[in-house]
Amino acid sequence: MKKVPFIIVLLFLSAGLFAQEMIIPIETNDNLMLLQTSREGLLNTVYFGKPLEGTEEYSNVAASYNFRDANGGIYNATYTTSGTWNLVEPALEMIQSDGNTSLELKYVSHKQEATSDNAVLTSILLEDAQYNFQVVLYYKAWTKENVIEQWTEIKHTQKEAVVLKKFASANLYFTNKEYYLTSFGNEWAKEMQRNEEKLTRGIKSIDTKLGTRAYLLQSPNFILSCDGKAAENTGTVVIGQLAWSSNFRYDFEVVANGNLRFLAGINPFASEYTLQPGETFKTPSLIYVVSHKGTGEASRNLHSWARDYRVLDGNGERLTLLNNWEATYFDFDENKLTALFKDAKELGVDLFLLDDGWFANKYPRNGDNAGLGDWQENKKKLPNGIGYLVEEATKEGVKFGIWIEPEMVNPKSELYENHPEWVIRQPERPEKYFRNQLVLDLANPEVQDFVFGIVDKLLDNNPELAFIKWDCNSVIYNAHSAYLETQKVPQTHIYIEYTKGLYSVMQRVRAKFPKIPIMMCSGGGGRGDYELFKYFTEFWPSDDTDPLERIYMQWNYSYFFPAIVTDCHVTDWGKQPLKYRVDVASMGKLGFDIVAGELNEKDKQFAQDAVKNYNSFKDLVWHGDMYRLVNPYENDIAALMYVNNDKSRAIVFNYLVNNRYMSTATTRPVVFAGLDANKKYRLKELNVYPGRRSWIDTEKVYSGDFLMKVGMNPNVSLRNTSVLIEATEVL
């Protein structure tokens, strides 16, 4: 297949010279999207599928389809507008400065160029010349990973402002036969609840309107299968998300000819945007990976792309930790904390994390109803300050981290008393609280300075501070910005300006403190997107740490995120034994939320050995290729596997997920994947509980071919509910 040349290519064509249609390929190694102009200069999507060997045949593609849409509008428009002859859901809806609601965009020019991060960037200029209105479509394609990042820039040179009513980031078009959508509903402690459905005639919309903690009720992650239900190793799938930390909306529209239109972008709900002359509005990115070999290949490619190009320090290391939250909640002092440092050292983890409750004096933070916003150490709990705790942790041989929630405020706080104008709230309405708190107005530059200052002061005063947990527990109620009002900016900008303000703060944090690990937390899975991952090293998937529930959640998250960003803690949630809990948490970035000093001797010995084992294979989990082997939704067990780059080592996690009585162990072997068929491997069971013996013969040698065709039975049962198997190449 001929690739896009790695030079800048500029192509210009005036609107009056469309005797020959212009063809624009968006190419990766395994997928091809063809855009083509009509004789009238309109830009359409004519192909989305497997690549063609010869570029000379691109011109034959459009004529091979016979979809008549005279009564339906412009079904396959690459960026569908409203107000003219389109009758389907628009990507862009607006009001011109003279009140006219029509827009018709025609092709002007395009260019394709190599970028410094191994991608090819295509930009296409469209224009409505009658109204001096321009749209630039961007497609950034990582050829090897089959990942595309797509966004739009909108601008105009009219004399007065225009109003954008809807402004999608992407407008995709598919001509397959049968479409299934897998989406993921959220609730607190019930994140990533999968729902697979066949898309039928009409529009299926998925959205959120919460502002902050935006994914509390609906995840932005999706799997679109284009030829039947999504399968792990077969079929065409598109896996992705909108990289935006606030309100989003997806429209999946099956039109009259059976084809599918997919629109993705900022939710237009309460978000009309007044665009001034000369101002450019940039939409967030839709990031998606395409595979014609199922969800397994798609997610592995997305993981590789994320580690290499998007997640902060994606190819680096992470810190294991002991968190005090479930051990103490708000009830602690210096003595309790320093005793926990010893527990962290005994466990063998890298870091102790101090959670909520360490701050505020006039309104001390002894519960979630006071103190939030007053970021000074509580003198009663911590008379010697954070610096003392950092020093004591260092003496004990562990690093020290801290929890903050800088975007929020309790009404019972000095901050609220001094700056009520910094709070998002309707001035004429009663205040409505979520978790006894309100959201600070990050559209306001003074609030941005305040939030940045919290981090800046903590790290300047405590340069040895090694980790930050950044929480965000409230949604936006009664959306109103006093700052936007003083600036005479419409209140419909608030959700967008808040999010831009958050990004501005994080850019400042990373400019001054580029390396400190920061966890993205939001009452569980309320945040987790590839825009914030430019600034955060990891995220908290759910407050539900029951290991059985976590198997399903982490399975679903694995479609979208590499394991290195997924924080998985061992807690007292659930009825499973400690081994099961630790094994499940070892599938991501391991942490503990337990009173380690109260473990019995066998549990303590197991936990210490498990941390050592984890340190021996964590590089596999963080940086290896992930293979989902046995689906827990369809079987009594779950199995998932990580393989390193040279296929010399792998780790296989096996879990019982059906606790009903079973008279025998697993009846069938688990078939491995991702190994080298020609290599030889020895198997070893890890995390064997003290006093038990593994059944695996560590002297026996298996071929990769055998393990990937016949497999190995992990003998999971009610007596042996969790089995970790290491495969190591025999040299």
Side-chain angles (χ1 to χ4, degrees):
M1 185 181 87
K2 184 178 178 182
K3 303 300 177 195
V4 176
F6 281 75
I7 57 173
I8 296 178
V9 180
L10 294 174
L11 299 172
F12 294 96
L13 197 61
S14 69
L17 298 176
F18 280 95
Q20 180 69 40
E21 289 89 351
M22 179 64 64
I23 297 175
I24 307 170
I26 312 297
E27 298 174 284
T28 66
N29 278 350
D30 299 318
N31 195 68
L32 172 65
M33 185 192 313
L34 284 180
L35 313 179
Q36 182 170 323
T37 58
S38 69
R39 292 188 176 273
E40 297 77 26
L42 303 174
L43 185 65
N44 300 316
T45 301
V46 298
Y47 183 78
F48 189 104
K50 295 179 180 179
L52 303 179
E53 293 297 327
T55 58
E56 71 279 359
E57 293 191 287
Y58 288 176
S59 60
N60 298 330
V61 170
S64 300
Y65 295 89
N66 188 22
F67 298 121
R68 302 184 184 279
D69 65 352
N71 295 320
I74 317 165
Y75 283 168
N76 68 332
T78 302
Y79 199 69
T80 313
T81 58
S82 65
T84 56
W85 58 292
N86 164 53
L87 298 177
V88 291
E89 187 67 24
L92 180 59
E93 182 183 4
M94 44 90 70
I95 302 174
Q96 305 282 9
S97 60
D98 65 357
N100 193 293
T101 59
S102 70
L103 182 70
E104 185 168 71
L105 296 171
K106 293 189 176 181
Y107 171 86
V108 177
S109 64
H110 79 277
K111 63 180 180 180
Q112 294 181 306
E113 56 187 318
T115 65
S116 60
D117 54 353
N118 301 312
V120 175
L121 179 63
T122 301
S123 57
I124 306 169
L125 174 60
L126 308 177
E127 183 177 33
D128 185 331
Q130 182 174 344
Y131 273 97
N132 297 317
F133 193 95
Q134 297 86 35
V135 171
V136 182
L137 307 179
Y138 289 91
Y139 303 81
K140 189 174 184 180
W142 281 266
T143 305
K144 177 183 174 184
E145 294 82 5
N146 299 302
V147 170
I148 297 175
E149 181 176 6
Q150 192 170 335
W151 72 94
T152 302
E153 291 185 359
I154 303 168
K155 56 187 176 182
H156 71 93
T157 55
Q158 299 176 30
K159 292 182 179 180
E160 302 293 336
V162 304
V163 176
L164 305 180
K165 296 174 67 66
K166 184 178 182 180
F167 29 90
S169 299
N171 183 169
L172 299 177
Y173 187 71
F174 305 92
T175 57
N176 304 70
K177 291 183 178 179
E178 193 175 36
Y179 307 96
Y180 280 80
L181 171 67
T182 305
S183 57
F184 300 87
N186 283 357
E187 294 180 53
W188 178 79
K190 291 185 178 180
E191 289 79 7
M192 294 300 283
Q193 303 298 306
R194 67 186 294 150
N195 176 56
E196 186 176 35
E197 59 190 308
K198 185 176 182 179
L199 294 173
T200 57
R201 181 79 173 269
I203 299 178
K204 168 72 176 183
S205 294
I206 295 173
D207 74 344
T208 180
K209 303 179 178 71
L210 306 183
T212 55
R213 197 178 175 179
Y215 311 152
L216 173 63
L217 301 178
Q218 179 65 54
S219 168
N221 303 304
F222 68 89
I223 302 172
L224 176 64
S225 178
C226 296
D227 44 17
K229 291 186 176 182
E232 188 70 12
N233 298 307
T234 59
T236 297
V237 294
V238 180
I239 293 179
Q241 64 156 228
L242 189 74
W244 179 246
S245 311
S246 186
N247 299 344
F248 69 87
R249 177 171 151 186
Y250 300 148
D251 294 316
F252 299 88
E253 182 177 16
V254 177
V255 291
N257 56 23
N259 294 333
L260 176 67
R261 305 177 66 250
F262 172 38
L263 307 176
I266 292 174
N267 195 334
F269 166 77
S271 294
E272 288 187 356
Y273 195 89
T274 301
L275 188 66
Q276 300 297 330
E279 179 187 359
T280 297
F281 183 88
K282 181 181 178 182
T283 69
S285 297
L286 179 71
I287 294 172
Y288 56 97
V289 60
V290 184
S291 171
H292 299 291
K293 296 179 181 178
T295 54
E297 179 188 77
S299 54
R300 285 187 292 277
N301 281 338
L302 187 57
H303 297 172
S304 178
W305 169 84
R307 290 190 298 261
D308 288 347
Y309 302 114
R310 183 52 57 102
V311 173
L312 186 67
D313 196 26
N315 288 306
E317 298 294 310
R318 296 294 186 269
L319 297 168
T320 55
L321 60 84
L322 174 65
N323 188 6
N324 74 299
W325 179 242
E326 292 195 18
T328 68
Y329 295 100
F330 294 101
D331 182 19
F332 59 82
D333 57 22
E334 282 181 349
N335 292 331
K336 276 190 179 181
L337 295 179
T338 53
L340 291 173
F341 297 167
K342 293 180 173 60
D343 289 348
K345 178 64 175 178
E346 283 190 10
L347 273 177
V349 297
D350 303 314
L351 176 133
F352 176 84
L353 172 62
L354 173 59
D355 215 292
D356 194 358
W358 59 268
F359 51 90
N361 288 292
K362 182 177 179 181
Y363 304 104
R365 183 71 167 175
N366 295 322
D368 67 7
N369 62 343
L372 196 59
D374 299 343
W375 298 101
Q376 70 279 145
E377 295 99 327
N378 180 275
K379 294 177 182 178
K380 184 176 180 181
K381 292 181 181 179
L382 307 178
N384 295 299
I386 296 298
Y388 169 78
L389 295 177
V390 175
E391 290 177 5
E392 291 302 303
T394 303
K395 288 178 185 177
E396 199 62 54
V398 294
K399 299 178 185 295
F400 186 85
I402 200 164
W403 177 96
I404 57 174
E405 192 176 4
E407 301 166 65
M408 308 293 165
V409 62
N410 286 129
K412 193 175 181 180
S413 68
E414 293 182 85
L415 177 63
Y416 182 89
E417 290 176 346
N418 295 332
H419 291 288
E421 76 281 5
W422 283 7
V423 178
I424 293 177
R425 58 176 188 164
Q426 289 282 357
E428 304 302 325
R429 303 283 182 188
E431 290 180 349
K432 177 71 174 176
Y433 306 131
F434 194 107
R435 205 186 181 220
N436 299 308
Q437 61 195 56
L438 296 164
V439 181
L440 294 175
D441 182 9
L442 277 175
N444 185 337
E446 288 186 326
V447 177
Q448 295 174 30
D449 291 342
F450 171 77
V451 173
F452 170 74
I454 296 166
V455 181
D456 190 38
K457 183 179 179 181
L458 270 173
L459 293 175
D460 274 350
N461 291 347
N462 307 284
E464 298 303 313
L465 201 63
F467 186 88
I468 291 174
K469 178 181 176 182
W470 183 301
D471 216 337
C472 169
N473 282 304
S474 295
V475 302
I476 293 178
Y477 288 135
N478 291 330
H480 181 89
S481 166
Y483 172 76
L484 292 181
E485 186 173 18
T486 63
Q487 301 299 306
K488 302 190 184 308
V489 174
Q491 290 297 321
T492 55
H493 288 215
I494 187 170
Y495 295 114
I496 294 170
E497 296 303 329
Y498 180 95
T499 310
K500 289 165 63 176
L502 173 62
Y503 296 155
S504 178
V505 169
M506 295 312 304
Q507 288 161 10
R508 293 170 65 184
V509 169
R510 284 311 180 188
K512 186 169 182 181
F513 308 104
K515 298 197 179 290
I516 184 169
I518 306 180
M519 176 203 294
M520 182 182 356
C521 185
S522 190
R527 270 184 182 163
D529 66 84
Y530 277 121
E531 189 63 28
L532 278 179
F533 270 125
K534 293 177 179 178
Y535 315 110
F536 290 82
T537 52
E538 56 217 74
F539 84 115
W540 183 238
S542 175
D543 281 347
D544 184 352
T545 51
D546 181 311
L548 182 59
E549 295 300 326
R550 271 297 186 111
I551 286 172
Y552 292 90
M553 284 186 197
Q554 290 169 209
W555 183 275
N556 291 333
Y557 275 122
S558 76
Y559 290 105
F560 307 97
F561 301 115
I564 193 171
V565 306
T566 308
D567 285 326
C568 307
H569 288 191
V570 179
T571 74
D572 291 329
W573 282 51
K575 299 178 181 179
Q576 292 75 19
L578 180 65
K579 171 178 163 51
Y580 195 99
R581 288 179 272 149
V582 172
D583 288 352
V584 171
S586 296
M587 291 195 296
K589 200 212 81 168
L590 177 64
F592 290 83
D593 244 307
I594 58 177
V595 184
E598 296 180 1
L599 294 175
N600 64 47
E601 286 305 312
K602 282 190 175 182
D603 276 356
K604 181 180 291 187
Q605 183 62 54
F606 170 79
Q608 292 168 338
D609 292 343
V611 171
K612 292 175 184 176
N613 285 333
Y614 179 78
N615 287 336
S616 76
F617 65 70
K618 63 187 180 184
D619 188 65
L620 279 172
V621 173
W622 294 348
H623 305 123
D625 286 331
M626 183 273 302
Y627 294 85
R628 289 176 290 268
L629 305 179
V630 182
N631 190 329
Y633 288 93
E634 302 167 358
N635 300 275
D636 290 331
I637 71 166
L640 191 142
M641 178 174 180
Y642 297 90
V643 185
N644 66 358
N645 289 336
D646 65 4
K647 302 180 184 300
S648 64
R649 193 164 174 240
I651 184 79
V652 186
F653 297 85
N654 305 274
Y655 306 101
L656 182 69
V657 295
N658 180 358
N659 289 316
R660 297 180 65 187
Y661 177 75
M662 300 162 63
S663 60
T664 61
T666 43
T667 57
R668 293 178 176 83
V670 170
V671 179
F672 292 8
L675 300 176
D676 186 327
N678 298 314
K679 289 185 175 182
K680 303 293 184 181
Y681 297 90
R682 279 198 177 95
L683 304 183
K684 177 183 178 182
E685 184 176 354
L686 302 181
N687 288 5
V688 179
Y689 193 80
R692 296 209 172 191
R693 294 178 59 188
S694 174
W695 62 271
I696 293 179
D697 183 353
T698 57
E699 297 302 314
K700 198 165 185 178
V701 175
Y702 301 87
S703 70
D705 178 67
F706 179 90
L707 292 172
M708 292 191 295
K709 290 178 179 175
V710 177
M712 175 56 60
N713 195 318
N715 286 323
V716 173
S717 68
L718 285 172
R719 295 189 61 196
N720 200 32
T721 56
S722 173
V723 177
L724 267 63
I725 300 176
E726 177 188 45
T728 305
E729 181 185 2
V730 178
L731 299 175

